[in-house]
């Protein structure tokens, strides 16, 4: 870059690591020709803290709270994923009650993560009302987290072989009330965004990726479903109790930022429906049923992989165990780390003002990206 | 000693005779026989009265020690009273504009808070004192300026942006008796000064040696070409209808005939949009789009410079609302209650400010409900929607005026 001759027509704009649009510490170097972005280059790694290496020094049980810290708004799915890979290594099946509890917890997590994203979209589009309304609704979801696990963000709820605790008293009532309230409240926010021609005009037709590019870049999650790829780990490779759940996977073929926006909004409604179904199922399981298995501390030698539908995409953990109570290697595939590589392609040709809205649809979370 | 006392007694008699007359604007009341105004001017009157107390007190105090001295007589002479009254008048007009401005900031925060389901500011009575706290906090900040700037333009740019905003706010007459100069081209002048800011913003953005502020400054220019033209076409409609550039005449016409919002309802809404763009507020605050441009053209203005820029922004918001008020809502005129004597004796300024704040509610609602538009979208809207609507409004205005003049309908 230093050797390149200065181009007077185009200038490089370093957006980040401290910039209002980069939700977290990362840099997007954008080359702009006036207002039009001609090239871009994401730079991540500011938050690297050696997560994978640190895991090699810890017992399997002690990795669960660390997995929470991978992403502040998707902590449940990450600790769930770690428990899942350990269970696969141990070759155990978690009790039915724990499976449904995990589904409920995961979907609450998905809703609050998507609400965090919606709030970020609000500020990126320049409207603080969306931000505050979304965060208000998110508080109710976090309250449900508190009821279930005692924590708002870093929940530390799943355990290898089950979950930490059963539902507290009246959780079922609170959860259903909260979800019903949320379904109404979400329509308010949808009216503020989807019904606003200015908002739709801001996100429609920008940040386009084709289906093929999406596959080549390895994009997963809502960003992929917005490009017309009909794939969801929860449905196509069901884990825990997702196989029993009746839900549809929203898919849009447009491939622009608006499609990704719609996918996430509809996913929230689907999550509500999943929570309701799981709650109904939990009623039929006796309260005395086990919710956790006793598992050995050490995991037998071998390589194991597990994947899960994170709110941001498909997250994968790859575990190499050497028979001790500590992993030999634990590799994390973060969906955002892969998705952000598409930013170069997505922002080419859009205007400078579109960069925040396009990037918001990736839903950056730097904790898991940099690990 | 006796001469001074006699003079004060005479002055008091003068005031009791003629000073209390302040009616419908065009009745001349000679306060002390030296007013530069043809009509009664309330701020000037306040200035005179304040100086009579203040200057008289000082003169009396000096006179206690040095009887019959020249300084005391000079302090209460007509020339000194006139000069000091003009200075105090400016202070009064600015103070009222400033308080109005703080009220509008408070109003915005409270309204926006309610729209966003929160309380808004809570410091002081009803949260009114928050702006003072913010001002103090900003004032305490270190005054940082980057090294590699174009110093002259950096400083002059911000000074002129704030200065023109405050000047504009002071140029708005609040009533027939509350003005600085009774311009025959008042509206035109205000528009001219209003249109100056984007140029200054562009210069200030360029001078900061920062890519974000450069883009922000150029966006201000881009924004300007989209709203300025429809705004001026609307302005032409108003002037054509009322037959005057003078703000007082425009409002008197509306008082005698009809508020222009009725025949020009299209123009009113176009004008609202243009006024929001003119005062560079969300959703048209492209030049300080904080999502992508950090703080736009204000990025490198730290501390109180930034605070004053924000204050200037609200002054511009006040002026934009006042322009909508003057052009469409009849300014200080009120439908029924202006028949009473007491209305023009006590309330026209208050009602002008209240109506301006009412217009500001539209601004606040737009900010609460809409996301920021993109640069190409605002140019599109400006030329493809606002411009035709403004022309339609002008045509309607001409037709109505024609019927009015020749058809004998009204």
């Amino acid at each position: 870059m230093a050797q390149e001759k200065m181009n007077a027509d185009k200038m490089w704009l370093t957006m980040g690591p401290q910039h209002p649009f980069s939700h977290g510490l990362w840099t997007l170097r954008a080359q702009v020709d006036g207002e039009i972005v001609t090239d871009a280059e994401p730079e991540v790694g500011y938050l690297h803290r050696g997560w994978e290496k640190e895991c090699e020094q810890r017992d399997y049980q002690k990795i669960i709270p660390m997995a929470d810290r991978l992403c502040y708004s998707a902590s449940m799915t990450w600790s769930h994923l770690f428990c899942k890979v350990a269970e696969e290594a141990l070759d155990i099946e978690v009790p039915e009650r724990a499976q449904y509890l995990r589904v409920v917890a995961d979907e609450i997590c998905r809703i609050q993560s998507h609400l965090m994203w919606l709030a970020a979209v609000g500020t990126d589009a320049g409207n603080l009302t969306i931000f505050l309304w979304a965060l208000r609704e998110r508080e109710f979801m976090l309250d449900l987290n508190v009821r279930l696990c005692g924590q708002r963000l870093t929940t530390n709820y799943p355990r290898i072989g089950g979950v930490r605790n059963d539902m507290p008293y009246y959780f079922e009532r609170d959860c259903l009330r909260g979800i019903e309230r949320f379904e109404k409240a979400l329509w308010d926010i949808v009216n503020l965004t989807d019904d606003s021609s200015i908002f739709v005009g801001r996100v429609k037709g920008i940040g386009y990726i084709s289906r093929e590019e999406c596959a080549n870049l390895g994009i997963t999650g809502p960003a992929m479903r917005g490009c017309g790829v009909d794939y969801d780990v929860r449905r196509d490779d069901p884990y825990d109790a997702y196989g029993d759940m009746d839900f549809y996977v929203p898919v849009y073929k447009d491939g622009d930022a608006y499609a990704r926006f719609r996918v996430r909004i509809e996913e929230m409604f689907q999550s509500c429906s999943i929570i309701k179904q799981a709650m109904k199922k939990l009623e039929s399981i006796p309260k005395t049923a086990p919710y956790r298995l006793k598992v050995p501390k050490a995991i037998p030698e071998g390589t194991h992989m597990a994947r899960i539908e994170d709110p941001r995409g498909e997250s994968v953990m790859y575990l190499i165990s050497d028979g001790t109570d500590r992993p030999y290697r634990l590799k994390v595939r973060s969906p955002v780390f892969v998705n952000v590589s598409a930013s170069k392609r997505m922002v080419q040709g859009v205007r400078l003002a579109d960069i925040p809205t396009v990037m918001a649809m990736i839903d950056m979370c730097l904790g898991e990206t940099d690990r | 000693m006796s001469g001074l006392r006699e003079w004060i007694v005479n002055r008091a008699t003068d005031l009791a005779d003629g000073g209390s007359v302040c009616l419908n604007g065009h009745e001349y009341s000679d306060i002390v026989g030296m007013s530069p105004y043809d009509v009664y001017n309330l701020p000037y009157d306040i200035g005179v009265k304040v100086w009579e107390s203040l200057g008289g007190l000082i003169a009396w105090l000096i006179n206690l020690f040095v009887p019959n001295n020249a300084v005391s007589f000079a302090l209460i002479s007509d020339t000194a009273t006139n000069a000091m009254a003009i200075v105090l008048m400016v202070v009064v007009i600015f103070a009222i504009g400033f308080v109005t401005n703080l009220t509008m900031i408070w109003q915005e925060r409270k309204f926006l808070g309610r729209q966003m389901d929160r309380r808004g500011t809570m410091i002081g009575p009803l949260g009114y004192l928050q702006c003072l706290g913010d001002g103090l906090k900003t004032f305490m900040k270190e005054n940082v300026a980057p090294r590699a700037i174009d110093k002259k333009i950096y400083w002059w740019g911000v000074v002129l942006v704030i200065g023109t905003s405050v000047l504009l706010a002071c140029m708005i007459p609040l009533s027939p008796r509350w003005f600085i100069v009774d311009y025959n081209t008042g509206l035109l002048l205000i528009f001219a000064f209003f249109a100056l800011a984007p140029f200054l913003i562009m210069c200030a953005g360029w001078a900061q040696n920062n890519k974000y502020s450069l883009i922000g400054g150029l966006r201000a220019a881009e924004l300007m070409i989209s709203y300025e033209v429809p705004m001026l076409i609307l302005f032409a409609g108003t002037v054509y209808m009322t037959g005057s550039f003078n703000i007082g005449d425009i409002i008197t016409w509306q008082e005698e005939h009809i508020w222009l919002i009725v025949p020009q309802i299209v123009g009113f809404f176009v004008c609202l949009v243009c006024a929001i763009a003119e005062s560079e507020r969300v959703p048209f605050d492209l030049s300080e789009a904080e999502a992508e441009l950090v703080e736009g053209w204000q990025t490198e203005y730290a501390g109180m410079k930034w605070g004053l820029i924000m204050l200037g922004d609200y002054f511009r918001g006040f002026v934009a609302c006042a322009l909508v008020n003057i052009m469409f809502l009849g300014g200080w005129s009120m439908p029924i209650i202006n028949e009473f004597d007491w209305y023009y004796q006590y309330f026209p300024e208050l009602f002008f400010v209240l109506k301006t704040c009412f217009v500001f509610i539209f601004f606040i609602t737009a900010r609460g409900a809409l996301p920021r538009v993109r640069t190409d979208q605002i140019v599109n809207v400006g030329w493809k929607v606002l411009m035709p609507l403004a022309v339609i409004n002008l045509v309607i205005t001409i037709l109505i005026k024609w019927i009015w003049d020749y058809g004998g309908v009204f």
Side-chain angles (χ1 to χ4, degrees), chain A residues 11-15 19-21 35 123-129 132-133 136 192 198-199 201-202 206 351-354 356, chain B residues 112 115-118 211-212 214-215 219 222 282-283 290-294 366-377:
Chain A
M11 74 177 172
W12 281 96
L13 207 56
T14 310
M15 300 172 88
H19 190 282
F21 107 96
E35 276 272 330
T123 50
D124 286 340
N127 187 333
L128 223 57
T129 314
L132 282 158
W133 286 14
R136 177 190 69 195
L192 195 62
I198 293 186
F199 182 85
R202 273 302 297 278
I206 55 165
R351 280 165 186 275
L352 188 58
D354 290 331
Chain B
L112 213 55
Q115 284 169 14
M116 294 173 178
D117 206 1
R118 59 190 170 88
K211 290 169 183 171
Y212 294 119
L214 170 65
I215 294 173
R219 275 187 185 186
E222 191 174 351
V282 182
E290 82 278 346
E292 67 265 18
L293 292 186
V294 191
R367 177 173 174 186
L370 301 175
R372 184 180 301 113
V373 298
R374 215 161 48 207
T375 38
D376 55 330
Q377 284 171 339

Side-chain angles (χ1 to χ4, degrees), chain A residues 197-218:
Chain A
S197 54
I198 293 186
F199 182 85
V200 174
R202 273 302 297 278
V203 292
K204 208 162 196 167
I206 55 165
Y208 175 77
I209 327 177
S210 70
R211 214 185 131 111
E212 288 72 29
E213 278 169 325
C214 178
N216 289 341
L217 289 162

Side-chain angles (χ1 to χ4, degrees), chain B residues 171 184-194 232 235 239 245-247:
Chain B
M171 275 163 76
N184 276 330
T185 55
L187 206 54
L188 200 60
L189 260 182
I190 288 175
F191 268 99
F193 276 115
F194 223 161
L232 283 172
F235 165 71
V239 172
F245 284 113
N246 187 313
I247 292 173

Side-chain angles (χ1 to χ4, degrees), chain B residues 159-368:
Chain B
V159 165
L160 286 174
V161 167
I162 300 161
T164 49
S165 309
V166 176
L167 174 69
L168 276 168
C170 293
M171 275 163 76
I172 299 282
L174 299 190
S175 77
R177 59 182 187 185
W178 193 285
F179 56 88
I180 294 183
V181 182
D182 189 13
Y183 326 84
N184 276 330
T185 55
L187 206 54
L188 200 60
L189 260 182
I190 288 175
F191 268 99
F193 276 115
F194 223 161
L196 211 56
F199 170 70
L200 297 169
I201 288 174
M202 197 178 82
C203 292
W206 210 319
Q208 287 170 48
N209 191 24
N210 181 318
K211 290 169 183 171
Y212 294 119
S213 57
L214 170 65
I215 294 173
L218 287 170
R219 275 187 185 186
E222 191 174 351
L223 180 61
M224 186 187 155
I225 57 163
S226 57
Y227 65 77
E228 201 72 40
V229 178
M231 190 81 175
L232 283 172
I233 293 173
L234 293 174
F235 165 71
T238 304
V239 172
Y240 184 75
M241 198 73 149
T242 58
S244 174
F245 284 113
N246 187 313
I247 292 173
D249 290 351
I250 288 170
I251 291 169
T252 313
W253 189 93
Q254 292 185 54
E255 192 173 14
E256 285 164 1
H257 297 82
I258 192 168
W259 285 3
L260 280 176
I261 185 176
V262 180
Q264 303 191 14
I265 182 75
V266 183
F268 173 71
F269 286 108
V270 176
C271 190
L272 268 184
V273 176
C274 290
I276 295 173
E278 186 103 38
S279 53
E280 279 173 19
R281 291 172 47 85
V282 182
F284 301 115
D285 62 338
L286 305 171
S287 58
E288 47 171 295
E290 82 278 346
E292 67 265 18
L293 292 186
V294 191
E295 196 55 40
W297 70 277
Q298 312 163 0
T299 304
E300 299 287 1
Y301 284 115
M304 199 57 200
K305 294 194 287 291
W306 181 82
L308 287 175
I309 288 170
M310 289 312 279
L311 195 71
D313 270 6
Y314 276 91
F315 270 116
R316 293 171 68 77
F318 165 67
V319 174
C321 293
L323 280 180
V324 175
N325 185 7
I326 289 166
M327 281 165 64
F328 295 100
L329 294 175
W332 50 77
S333 70
M334 286 301 283
I336 294 157
I337 56 174
N338 64 359
E339 301 295 329
F340 300 106
D341 281 351
W342 49 259
Y343 179 72
Y344 271 109
Q345 214 156 0
Y346 301 114
F347 291 120
E349 293 89 5
L350 184 68
F351 272 89
F352 185 90
V353 169
L354 283 180
K355 278 160 92 173
T356 307
C357 289
F358 172 74
V359 176
F360 198 54
I361 292 175
F362 286 99
F363 283 36
I364 299 165
T365 313
R367 177 173 174 186

Side-chain angles (χ1 to χ4, degrees), chain B residues 56-133:
Chain B
L57 183 73
I58 298 166
W60 177 69
L61 280 172
I62 299 173
N63 206 46
L64 277 182
F65 298 104
V66 191
N68 278 330
N69 64 347
V71 175
S72 289
F73 282 106
L75 279 175
I76 54 168
S77 69
D78 279 1
T79 322
T81 311
N82 190 26
M84 291 314 289
I86 286 173
V87 171
L88 288 168
M89 177 188 91
V90 172
V91 172
V92 166
I93 286 184
F94 174 74
I96 294 296
F98 189 69
V99 171
T100 311
N101 203 3
L102 293 187
T103 312
M104 283 168 87
I105 296 174
W106 166 79
Q107 182 197 359
E108 165 155 36
R109 286 172 150 179
K110 277 304 206 187
F111 267 80
L112 213 55
R114 293 296 168 187
Q115 284 169 14
M116 294 173 178
D117 206 1
R118 59 190 170 88
R119 283 163 187 270
T121 56
M122 296 297 282
I123 309 290
L126 291 173
Y128 191 83
L129 296 183
Q130 178 73 46
C131 346
L132 298 183

